[in-house]
Amino acid sequence: MTPLPKCYISVHKSPEKTISPHPFNHLVDLLLPTDLYQLISNDSESSSALSKPLRCYRMSIPLSVIVETEFLTKYIKTGNVVMLSKGRIDIDNVFSLNDGILRLSLTKEAYEKAGLTGQPTRFGNTGPKKRHNRHLVEINLRDPAMLHGKKGFDRIVWSFQNKLNKKVDFLFCDLDQQKSPIDCPILAALGATPRQIQVPEVTASSPVKVPSFDSPPGSVPQGGGTSLEAEYNREVWRDWAMHVYEWLALANWGPADRVIAADNIDSYLSTYAVDHGEYEGETGMGLTRVRFRGMIPAAWILEVWRTVEKLVSSVSVGNRKGWFSLTVHGFENSLISWDKSAHGSMTGGENGYTLLSIPQKDEGNAEAAKILTFEVVGSQDEHS
């Protein structure tokens, strides 16, 4: 039986601990009530995160370009970039670069031909005898020994020029681009095609049913002992949290018909129902989704979260409508997910997360908003 993806739920976990260690992201959805979006939209668009141009690039280059002196010095030794190649992580040769570490996930044939030192990959080595069909080579290009003229580095350059010498399609993002001019002659010479990231797709929905963001009375995420009652209270809390997560997924998806306030599907055809909360009344609540696409840096996502969090805390929309969520999807073919955890996708390459900020019910309570964190990983991921 194929293992299923897992969802880890945390309460009051620092958003930075979820966002920062997850480098390879391709889709970000910010979801919030339309009333709230209208109040903060002008200020958010003029914020430092969204007002400065941010681009990612597509380029087709051989690996040898990465170790050329000009590229190596500007973007790796003194700069910081993320790169990910096109391909299926458990079948093709796939390459990634972040924090100066170049990772090569190679088939057995390519590994033997390259002549580089690596180790069997954590995932992808399948079959009755668990043969080593794939290998991972990790090269720290910021190591002081990674210079032309050094024996070990010259061996890597030779391998890239003579063995792993085919052009590879890469996505590329310079993490320091907002500190320096965008146009770079190196990228222009490589024929890199730019794409704007900070220009979002904004979609306003028709009124939707919104669930309660208050956990059931007596339910707790953890603790309480080992009694049957304590276990029941923890199970009730988990059911409520998963219902909220499921609703967020459906709301981000269009929204889906089942959460629209006017939906009257026969329960025989669909058993899904929103557990009504106190927010929308009888007519439902309008939602706005702000979507960003591209090779999206984790630091930029964190800045977006902090900007929206600050703006939301400064306005009052009444009836506790100050909630918002941020959903981030990682690349299914990334070699790592969180904190350098090995990642595979043969049976599902999910690696992403949702952060939900919920205001306190008592407006006089000085306690910060509650933050629910949902981290989703496929069955082939060391993070699980």
mmCIF file of all heavy atoms in Angstrom, residues 314-339:
data_model
loop_
_atom_site.group_PDB
_atom_site.id
_atom_site.type_symbol
_atom_site.label_atom_id
_atom_site.label_comp_id
_atom_site.label_asym_id
_atom_site.label_seq_id
_atom_site.Cartn_x
_atom_site.Cartn_y
_atom_site.Cartn_z
ATOM 1 N N SER A 314 -3.377 46.936 12.321
ATOM 2 C CA SER A 314 -3.578 48.378 12.463
ATOM 3 C C SER A 314 -4.966 48.842 12.034
ATOM 4 O O SER A 314 -5.289 50.022 12.151
ATOM 5 C CB SER A 314 -2.524 49.131 11.644
ATOM 6 O OG SER A 314 -2.713 48.902 10.254
ATOM 7 N N VAL A 315 -5.798 47.924 11.506
ATOM 8 C CA VAL A 315 -7.139 48.307 11.053
ATOM 9 C C VAL A 315 -8.173 47.510 11.835
ATOM 10 O O VAL A 315 -7.887 46.470 12.429
ATOM 11 C CB VAL A 315 -7.321 48.061 9.543
ATOM 12 C CG1 VAL A 315 -6.320 48.870 8.751
ATOM 13 C CG2 VAL A 315 -7.207 46.584 9.202
ATOM 14 N N SER A 316 -9.393 48.000 11.812
ATOM 15 C CA SER A 316 -10.501 47.312 12.481
ATOM 16 C C SER A 316 -11.635 47.156 11.490
ATOM 17 O O SER A 316 -12.118 48.124 10.916
ATOM 18 C CB SER A 316 -10.968 48.122 13.700
ATOM 19 O OG SER A 316 -12.096 47.518 14.291
ATOM 20 N N VAL A 317 -12.034 45.901 11.273
ATOM 21 C CA VAL A 317 -13.115 45.639 10.323
ATOM 22 C C VAL A 317 -14.357 45.096 11.016
ATOM 23 O O VAL A 317 -15.365 44.836 10.380
ATOM 24 C CB VAL A 317 -12.660 44.640 9.238
ATOM 25 C CG1 VAL A 317 -11.663 45.279 8.320
ATOM 26 C CG2 VAL A 317 -12.089 43.382 9.874
ATOM 27 N N GLY A 318 -14.279 44.927 12.327
ATOM 28 C CA GLY A 318 -15.450 44.471 13.075
ATOM 29 C C GLY A 318 -15.725 42.998 12.911
ATOM 30 O O GLY A 318 -15.332 42.356 11.943
ATOM 31 N N ASN A 319 -16.418 42.441 13.892
ATOM 32 C CA ASN A 319 -16.881 41.048 13.832
ATOM 33 C C ASN A 319 -15.752 40.054 13.564
ATOM 34 O O ASN A 319 -15.941 39.055 12.902
ATOM 35 C CB ASN A 319 -17.955 40.890 12.754
ATOM 36 C CG ASN A 319 -18.786 39.632 12.970
ATOM 37 O OD1 ASN A 319 -18.932 39.176 14.102
ATOM 38 N ND2 ASN A 319 -19.321 39.094 11.898
ATOM 39 N N ARG A 320 -14.546 40.382 14.044
ATOM 40 C CA ARG A 320 -13.393 39.489 13.930
ATOM 41 C C ARG A 320 -13.099 39.073 12.492
ATOM 42 O O ARG A 320 -12.734 37.939 12.230
ATOM 43 C CB ARG A 320 -13.587 38.247 14.804
ATOM 44 C CG ARG A 320 -13.685 38.550 16.280
ATOM 45 C CD ARG A 320 -13.731 37.283 17.086
ATOM 46 N NE ARG A 320 -12.506 36.528 16.930
ATOM 47 C CZ ARG A 320 -12.454 35.206 16.960
ATOM 48 N NH1 ARG A 320 -13.541 34.505 17.085
ATOM 49 N NH2 ARG A 320 -11.286 34.587 16.845
ATOM 50 N N LYS A 321 -13.243 39.982 11.559
ATOM 51 C CA LYS A 321 -12.938 39.659 10.169
ATOM 52 C C LYS A 321 -11.466 39.887 9.832
ATOM 53 O O LYS A 321 -11.091 39.913 8.668
ATOM 54 C CB LYS A 321 -13.814 40.483 9.223
ATOM 55 C CG LYS A 321 -15.284 40.083 9.250
ATOM 56 C CD LYS A 321 -16.077 40.880 8.242
ATOM 57 C CE LYS A 321 -17.554 40.485 8.249
ATOM 58 N NZ LYS A 321 -18.346 41.274 7.276
ATOM 59 N N GLY A 322 -10.637 40.039 10.846
ATOM 60 C CA GLY A 322 -9.225 40.325 10.610
ATOM 61 C C GLY A 322 -8.367 39.093 10.415
ATOM 62 O O GLY A 322 -7.172 39.138 10.683
ATOM 63 N N TRP A 323 -8.931 38.002 9.953
ATOM 64 C CA TRP A 323 -8.130 36.802 9.705
ATOM 65 C C TRP A 323 -7.556 36.841 8.287
ATOM 66 O O TRP A 323 -8.094 37.503 7.393
ATOM 67 C CB TRP A 323 -8.966 35.533 9.879
ATOM 68 C CG TRP A 323 -10.095 35.393 8.882
ATOM 69 C CD1 TRP A 323 -11.375 35.832 9.016
ATOM 70 C CD2 TRP A 323 -10.014 34.796 7.576
ATOM 71 N NE1 TRP A 323 -12.106 35.551 7.892
ATOM 72 C CE2 TRP A 323 -11.292 34.904 6.988
ATOM 73 C CE3 TRP A 323 -8.990 34.179 6.863
ATOM 74 C CZ2 TRP A 323 -11.567 34.427 5.721
ATOM 75 C CZ3 TRP A 323 -9.259 33.686 5.590
ATOM 76 C CH2 TRP A 323 -10.541 33.819 5.029
ATOM 77 N N PHE A 324 -6.461 36.140 8.088
ATOM 78 C CA PHE A 324 -5.918 35.963 6.738
ATOM 79 C C PHE A 324 -5.050 34.707 6.728
ATOM 80 O O PHE A 324 -4.586 34.237 7.781
ATOM 81 C CB PHE A 324 -5.101 37.182 6.292
ATOM 82 C CG PHE A 324 -3.845 37.421 7.085
ATOM 83 C CD1 PHE A 324 -2.613 36.957 6.641
ATOM 84 C CD2 PHE A 324 -3.880 38.115 8.289
ATOM 85 C CE1 PHE A 324 -1.454 37.168 7.371
ATOM 86 C CE2 PHE A 324 -2.733 38.335 9.029
ATOM 87 C CZ PHE A 324 -1.512 37.865 8.564
ATOM 88 N N SER A 325 -4.848 34.156 5.547
ATOM 89 C CA SER A 325 -4.019 32.954 5.416
ATOM 90 C C SER A 325 -3.025 33.120 4.278
ATOM 91 O O SER A 325 -3.254 33.891 3.338
ATOM 92 C CB SER A 325 -4.888 31.716 5.174
ATOM 93 O OG SER A 325 -5.434 31.733 3.863
ATOM 94 N N LEU A 326 -1.922 32.406 4.393
ATOM 95 C CA LEU A 326 -0.891 32.395 3.361
ATOM 96 C C LEU A 326 -0.576 30.936 3.049
ATOM 97 O O LEU A 326 -0.158 30.180 3.931
ATOM 98 C CB LEU A 326 0.368 33.114 3.849
ATOM 99 C CG LEU A 326 1.450 33.359 2.798
ATOM 100 C CD1 LEU A 326 1.017 34.500 1.868
ATOM 101 C CD2 LEU A 326 2.780 33.718 3.459
ATOM 102 N N THR A 327 -0.802 30.538 1.801
ATOM 103 C CA THR A 327 -0.543 29.168 1.376
ATOM 104 C C THR A 327 0.586 29.166 0.350
ATOM 105 O O THR A 327 0.536 29.914 -0.631
ATOM 106 C CB THR A 327 -1.798 28.522 0.757
ATOM 107 O OG1 THR A 327 -2.834 28.475 1.744
ATOM 108 C CG2 THR A 327 -1.507 27.113 0.276
ATOM 109 N N VAL A 328 1.587 28.338 0.586
ATOM 110 C CA VAL A 328 2.779 28.290 -0.264
ATOM 111 C C VAL A 328 2.970 26.866 -0.782
ATOM 112 O O VAL A 328 2.933 25.905 -0.007
ATOM 113 C CB VAL A 328 4.030 28.738 0.516
ATOM 114 C CG1 VAL A 328 5.272 28.645 -0.369
ATOM 115 C CG2 VAL A 328 3.851 30.157 1.043
ATOM 116 N N HIS A 329 3.168 26.744 -2.086
ATOM 117 C CA HIS A 329 3.392 25.443 -2.718
ATOM 118 C C HIS A 329 4.845 25.338 -3.155
ATOM 119 O O HIS A 329 5.341 26.193 -3.890
ATOM 120 C CB HIS A 329 2.476 25.260 -3.936
ATOM 121 C CG HIS A 329 1.025 25.277 -3.602
ATOM 122 N ND1 HIS A 329 0.319 24.135 -3.295
ATOM 123 C CD2 HIS A 329 0.133 26.303 -3.511
ATOM 124 C CE1 HIS A 329 -0.943 24.446 -3.035
ATOM 125 N NE2 HIS A 329 -1.081 25.755 -3.156
ATOM 126 N N GLY A 330 5.523 24.275 -2.713
ATOM 127 C CA GLY A 330 6.894 24.037 -3.138
ATOM 128 C C GLY A 330 6.943 23.249 -4.434
ATOM 129 O O GLY A 330 5.973 22.584 -4.823
ATOM 130 N N PHE A 331 8.073 23.324 -5.127
ATOM 131 C CA PHE A 331 8.257 22.542 -6.357
ATOM 132 C C PHE A 331 8.276 21.054 -6.020
ATOM 133 O O PHE A 331 8.993 20.625 -5.111
ATOM 134 C CB PHE A 331 9.575 22.919 -7.032
ATOM 135 C CG PHE A 331 9.561 24.251 -7.721
ATOM 136 C CD1 PHE A 331 9.994 25.398 -7.069
ATOM 137 C CD2 PHE A 331 9.111 24.368 -9.024
ATOM 138 C CE1 PHE A 331 9.989 26.628 -7.702
ATOM 139 C CE2 PHE A 331 9.097 25.592 -9.673
ATOM 140 C CZ PHE A 331 9.535 26.728 -9.007
ATOM 141 N N GLU A 332 7.510 20.275 -6.751
ATOM 142 C CA GLU A 332 7.475 18.840 -6.498
ATOM 143 C C GLU A 332 8.792 18.171 -6.865
ATOM 144 O O GLU A 332 9.121 17.105 -6.347
ATOM 145 C CB GLU A 332 6.318 18.192 -7.258
ATOM 146 C CG GLU A 332 4.946 18.561 -6.720
ATOM 147 C CD GLU A 332 3.851 17.648 -7.242
ATOM 148 O OE1 GLU A 332 4.163 16.734 -8.046
ATOM 149 O OE2 GLU A 332 2.687 17.836 -6.849
ATOM 150 N N ASN A 333 9.566 18.777 -7.760
ATOM 151 C CA ASN A 333 10.827 18.152 -8.177
ATOM 152 C C ASN A 333 12.037 18.728 -7.448
ATOM 153 O O ASN A 333 13.180 18.520 -7.861
ATOM 154 C CB ASN A 333 11.025 18.304 -9.687
ATOM 155 C CG ASN A 333 11.323 19.743 -10.095
ATOM 156 O OD1 ASN A 333 10.753 20.677 -9.535
ATOM 157 N ND2 ASN A 333 12.206 19.922 -11.059
ATOM 158 N N SER A 334 11.820 19.462 -6.346
ATOM 159 C CA SER A 334 12.959 19.990 -5.596
ATOM 160 C C SER A 334 13.686 18.854 -4.885
ATOM 161 O O SER A 334 13.067 17.882 -4.444
ATOM 162 C CB SER A 334 12.496 21.047 -4.586
ATOM 163 O OG SER A 334 11.610 20.485 -3.645
ATOM 164 N N LEU A 335 14.997 18.987 -4.759
ATOM 165 C CA LEU A 335 15.797 17.946 -4.129
ATOM 166 C C LEU A 335 15.667 17.963 -2.616
ATOM 167 O O LEU A 335 15.950 16.966 -1.948
ATOM 168 C CB LEU A 335 17.268 18.075 -4.524
ATOM 169 C CG LEU A 335 17.664 17.472 -5.887
ATOM 170 C CD1 LEU A 335 17.024 18.237 -7.037
ATOM 171 C CD2 LEU A 335 19.176 17.463 -6.047
ATOM 172 N N ILE A 336 15.287 19.107 -2.058
ATOM 173 C CA ILE A 336 15.105 19.244 -0.614
ATOM 174 C C ILE A 336 13.795 19.977 -0.349
ATOM 175 O O ILE A 336 13.271 20.669 -1.223
ATOM 176 C CB ILE A 336 16.269 20.006 0.064
ATOM 177 C CG1 ILE A 336 16.420 21.408 -0.549
ATOM 178 C CG2 ILE A 336 17.572 19.221 -0.054
ATOM 179 C CD1 ILE A 336 17.425 22.290 0.164
ATOM 180 N N SER A 337 13.262 19.812 0.868
ATOM 181 C CA SER A 337 12.067 20.553 1.257
ATOM 182 C C SER A 337 12.448 21.546 2.362
ATOM 183 O O SER A 337 12.911 22.636 2.092
ATOM 184 C CB SER A 337 10.956 19.603 1.709
ATOM 185 O OG SER A 337 11.401 18.752 2.762
ATOM 186 N N TRP A 338 12.296 21.138 3.621
ATOM 187 C CA TRP A 338 12.678 22.004 4.739
ATOM 188 C C TRP A 338 14.034 21.590 5.297
ATOM 189 O O TRP A 338 14.334 20.390 5.446
ATOM 190 C CB TRP A 338 11.662 21.907 5.883
ATOM 191 C CG TRP A 338 10.422 22.697 5.707
ATOM 192 C CD1 TRP A 338 10.213 24.005 6.067
ATOM 193 C CD2 TRP A 338 9.176 22.247 5.170
ATOM 194 N NE1 TRP A 338 8.934 24.391 5.769
ATOM 195 C CE2 TRP A 338 8.268 23.323 5.215
ATOM 196 C CE3 TRP A 338 8.743 21.034 4.650
ATOM 197 C CZ2 TRP A 338 6.952 23.222 4.785
ATOM 198 C CZ3 TRP A 338 7.449 20.924 4.193
ATOM 199 C CH2 TRP A 338 6.565 22.009 4.270
ATOM 200 N N ASP A 339 14.855 22.584 5.635
ATOM 201 C CA ASP A 339 16.103 22.318 6.357
ATOM 202 C C ASP A 339 16.938 21.206 5.720
ATOM 203 O O ASP A 339 17.441 20.313 6.405
ATOM 204 C CB ASP A 339 15.808 21.954 7.815
ATOM 205 C CG ASP A 339 15.386 23.171 8.630
ATOM 206 O OD1 ASP A 339 15.952 24.245 8.407
ATOM 207 O OD2 ASP A 339 14.503 23.025 9.484
#
